[in-house]
Amino acid sequence: ERILKEPYILYVGARKTYKNFNMLAEVFANTDYLKNNFKILSYGGGSFSQEERELFEKLGVTDKIIFDAGNDTKLANYYKYAEAFVYPSKYEGFGVPLLEAMYMDCPIVASNISSIPEIGGPACLYFDPDSPEDLIEKLETVLTNKEVKNDLLAKAQEWRKNFSWQ
Protein backbone atom coordinates (compact mmCIF):
# COMPACT_ATOMS: atom_id res chain seq x y z
CA GLU A 1 0.00 0.00 0.00
CA ARG A 2 1.37 3.38 -1.05
CA ILE A 3 2.16 5.80 1.78
CA LEU A 4 1.97 8.87 -0.46
CA LYS A 5 -0.94 8.68 -2.87
CA GLU A 6 0.01 11.49 -5.29
CA PRO A 7 2.80 11.01 -7.87
CA TYR A 8 6.16 12.14 -6.48
CA ILE A 9 9.85 12.48 -7.18
CA LEU A 10 12.02 11.08 -4.40
CA TYR A 11 15.10 12.66 -2.83
CA VAL A 12 16.90 10.83 -0.02
CA GLY A 13 19.30 12.01 2.66
CA ALA A 14 21.02 15.16 3.85
CA ARG A 15 20.54 18.42 1.98
CA LYS A 16 23.90 20.11 2.63
CA THR A 17 25.05 22.59 -0.03
CA TYR A 18 27.04 20.07 -2.10
CA LYS A 19 23.99 17.79 -2.23
CA ASN A 20 22.43 20.37 -4.58
CA PHE A 21 18.89 20.00 -3.21
CA ASN A 22 18.12 23.71 -3.65
CA MET A 23 18.81 23.45 -7.37
CA LEU A 24 16.33 20.57 -7.54
CA ALA A 25 13.75 22.68 -5.66
CA GLU A 26 14.26 25.62 -8.03
CA VAL A 27 14.06 23.44 -11.14
CA PHE A 28 10.89 21.85 -9.80
CA ALA A 29 9.29 25.21 -8.97
CA ASN A 30 10.15 26.71 -12.36
CA THR A 31 8.95 23.81 -14.51
CA ASP A 32 5.18 23.76 -14.90
CA TYR A 33 5.05 20.10 -15.92
CA LEU A 34 6.89 19.01 -12.76
CA LYS A 35 5.14 21.41 -10.40
CA ASN A 36 1.65 20.64 -11.72
CA ASN A 37 1.96 16.86 -11.79
CA PHE A 38 4.25 15.83 -8.95
CA LYS A 39 5.42 16.48 -5.43
CA ILE A 40 8.96 16.20 -4.20
CA LEU A 41 9.39 13.92 -1.22
CA SER A 42 12.58 14.57 0.71
CA TYR A 43 13.27 11.58 2.94
CA GLY A 44 15.59 11.70 5.93
CA GLY A 45 18.40 14.16 6.53
CA GLY A 46 16.51 16.16 9.16
CA SER A 47 13.46 18.41 8.93
CA PHE A 48 13.48 21.42 6.61
CA SER A 49 15.44 24.36 7.99
CA GLN A 50 14.02 27.87 8.28
CA GLU A 51 16.04 28.87 5.18
CA GLU A 52 14.67 25.95 3.19
CA ARG A 53 11.09 26.75 4.20
CA GLU A 54 11.63 30.38 3.18
CA LEU A 55 13.03 29.25 -0.17
CA PHE A 56 10.03 26.99 -0.84
CA GLU A 57 7.70 29.83 0.09
CA LYS A 58 9.51 32.23 -2.23
CA LEU A 59 9.31 29.63 -5.01
CA GLY A 60 5.61 29.03 -4.30
CA VAL A 61 5.98 25.30 -3.64
CA THR A 62 5.52 25.04 0.13
CA ASP A 63 2.75 22.45 -0.25
CA LYS A 64 4.57 20.58 -3.02
CA ILE A 65 7.90 19.78 -1.34
CA ILE A 66 7.32 17.55 1.62
CA PHE A 67 9.52 15.93 4.24
CA ASP A 68 9.30 12.54 5.90
CA ALA A 69 11.58 10.22 7.83
CA GLY A 70 11.40 6.83 9.46
CA ASN A 71 12.58 3.26 9.12
CA ASP A 72 13.83 1.19 6.18
CA THR A 73 10.38 -0.27 5.52
CA LYS A 74 8.94 3.19 5.04
CA LEU A 75 11.87 4.22 2.82
CA ALA A 76 11.46 1.07 0.72
CA ASN A 77 7.81 1.97 0.16
CA TYR A 78 8.81 5.44 -1.04
CA TYR A 79 11.38 4.02 -3.49
CA LYS A 80 8.92 1.45 -4.75
CA TYR A 81 6.21 3.95 -5.67
CA ALA A 82 8.30 6.98 -6.70
CA GLU A 83 8.05 8.12 -10.31
CA ALA A 84 11.79 8.78 -10.17
CA PHE A 85 14.65 9.04 -7.71
CA VAL A 86 16.83 12.14 -8.13
CA TYR A 87 20.44 12.29 -6.99
CA PRO A 88 21.68 15.82 -7.81
CA SER A 89 24.79 15.74 -5.60
CA LYS A 90 28.02 17.49 -6.65
CA TYR A 91 30.15 15.13 -4.57
CA GLU A 92 29.74 11.60 -3.24
CA GLY A 93 32.01 9.02 -1.69
CA PHE A 94 29.76 6.02 -2.18
CA GLY A 95 26.12 6.64 -3.02
CA VAL A 96 24.14 3.97 -1.17
CA PRO A 97 20.77 5.51 -2.20
CA LEU A 98 21.64 4.73 -5.84
CA LEU A 99 21.80 1.02 -4.99
CA GLU A 100 18.68 1.23 -2.84
CA ALA A 101 16.77 2.75 -5.76
CA MET A 102 18.09 0.07 -8.15
CA TYR A 103 17.02 -2.72 -5.81
CA MET A 104 13.54 -1.19 -5.49
CA ASP A 105 13.14 -0.78 -9.28
CA CYS A 106 12.96 2.99 -9.06
CA PRO A 107 14.24 4.89 -12.13
CA ILE A 108 17.23 7.11 -11.34
CA VAL A 109 18.21 10.56 -12.57
CA ALA A 110 21.68 11.33 -11.19
CA SER A 111 24.45 13.87 -11.55
CA ASN A 112 27.34 12.82 -13.77
CA ILE A 113 30.19 13.64 -11.40
CA SER A 114 32.39 12.18 -8.67
CA SER A 115 31.86 8.46 -7.98
CA ILE A 116 28.21 8.52 -9.06
CA PRO A 117 28.65 7.12 -12.62
CA GLU A 118 30.93 4.37 -11.26
CA ILE A 119 28.18 3.19 -8.93
CA GLY A 120 25.21 3.97 -11.17
CA GLY A 121 26.75 2.55 -14.33
CA PRO A 122 24.22 2.16 -17.14
CA ALA A 123 21.32 2.15 -14.66
CA CYS A 124 20.93 5.96 -14.42
CA LEU A 125 20.08 8.85 -16.68
CA TYR A 126 22.84 11.39 -15.98
CA PHE A 127 22.81 15.19 -15.95
CA ASP A 128 25.27 17.99 -15.31
CA PRO A 129 24.70 19.13 -11.69
CA ASP A 130 25.56 22.71 -12.69
CA SER A 131 22.89 22.77 -15.39
CA PRO A 132 19.26 23.22 -14.32
CA GLU A 133 18.25 22.83 -17.99
CA ASP A 134 19.94 19.44 -18.19
CA LEU A 135 18.22 18.28 -15.00
CA ILE A 136 14.81 19.38 -16.34
CA GLU A 137 15.41 17.59 -19.63
CA LYS A 138 16.51 14.31 -18.02
CA LEU A 139 13.77 14.35 -15.36
CA GLU A 140 11.06 15.01 -17.93
CA THR A 141 12.46 12.24 -20.13
CA VAL A 142 12.26 9.66 -17.35
CA LEU A 143 8.82 10.86 -16.27
CA THR A 144 7.26 10.94 -19.75
CA ASN A 145 9.08 8.34 -21.82
CA LYS A 146 8.07 4.79 -20.87
CA GLU A 147 10.70 3.28 -23.18
CA VAL A 148 13.56 5.14 -21.53
CA LYS A 149 12.19 4.36 -18.08
CA ASN A 150 11.82 0.63 -18.81
CA ASP A 151 15.28 0.51 -20.38
CA LEU A 152 16.81 2.08 -17.25
CA LEU A 153 15.00 -0.39 -15.00
CA ALA A 154 16.14 -3.36 -17.09
CA LYS A 155 19.75 -2.13 -16.98
CA ALA A 156 19.48 -1.58 -13.21
CA GLN A 157 18.32 -5.17 -12.68
CA GLU A 158 21.52 -6.38 -14.36
CA TRP A 159 23.88 -3.77 -12.95
CA ARG A 160 22.88 -4.24 -9.32
CA LYS A 161 24.21 -7.82 -9.47
CA ASN A 162 27.70 -6.25 -9.33
CA PHE A 163 27.11 -5.18 -5.73
CA SER A 164 26.49 -6.96 -2.46
CA TRP A 165 25.49 -5.46 0.88
CA GLN A 166 28.88 -6.64 2.23
Side-chain angles (χ1 to χ4, degrees):
E1 174 107 1
R2 290 177 71 118
I3 296 171
L4 184 59
K5 303 295 182 225
E6 308 98 312
Y8 60 94
I9 296 160
L10 181 62
Y11 175 95
V12 174
R15 297 177 306 276
K16 298 179 189 74
T17 314
Y18 74 89
K19 294 285 191 179
N20 217 12
F21 181 78
N22 286 3
M23 195 257 267
L24 173 61
E26 285 169 19
V27 158
F28 176 77
N30 293 314
T31 309
D32 287 342
Y33 171 71
L34 297 176
K35 189 172 61 181
N36 295 335
N37 293 288
F38 303 94
K39 291 195 170 196
I40 286 185
L41 173 65
S42 175
Y43 189 88
S47 302
F48 292 138
S49 67
Q50 186 60 39
E51 293 94 315
E52 286 173 316
R53 287 194 299 271
E54 285 167 10
L55 173 67
F56 305 157
E57 201 168 314
K58 190 183 87 185
L59 293 171
V61 290
T62 303
D63 56 336
K64 292 272 185 182
I65 300 182
I66 54 182
F67 172 80
D68 200 2
N71 60 24
D72 288 346
T73 307
K74 197 178 204 185
L75 177 58
N77 184 284
Y78 283 132
Y79 276 120
K80 183 177 178 185
Y81 293 106
E83 299 300 318
F85 167 65
V86 184
Y87 207 59
S89 185
K90 292 187 179 198
Y91 173 78
E92 281 306 321
F94 188 89
V96 170
L98 291 168
L99 294 180
E100 292 173 338
M102 279 183 227
Y103 274 89
M104 294 307 299
D105 293 317
C106 180
I108 303 167
V109 177
S111 62
N112 62 6
I113 48 98
S114 193
S115 63
I116 296 170
E118 282 173 53
I119 298 158
C124 307
L125 200 57
Y126 296 101
F127 68 95
D128 173 353
D130 292 315
S131 169
E133 299 74 26
D134 198 20
L135 173 55
I136 291 165
E137 186 194 319
K138 300 296 166 41
L139 249 183
E140 288 189 336
T141 299
V142 167
L143 295 169
T144 60
N145 188 322
K146 278 271 184 274
E147 235 171 274
V148 170
K149 184 177 181 172
N150 291 337
D151 184 50
L152 283 174
L153 294 176
K155 286 175 177 165
Q157 286 170 358
E158 277 307 301
W159 184 250
R160 68 192 184 201
K161 293 174 185 170
N162 295 314
F163 300 90
S164 75
W165 293 113
Q166 280 63 58

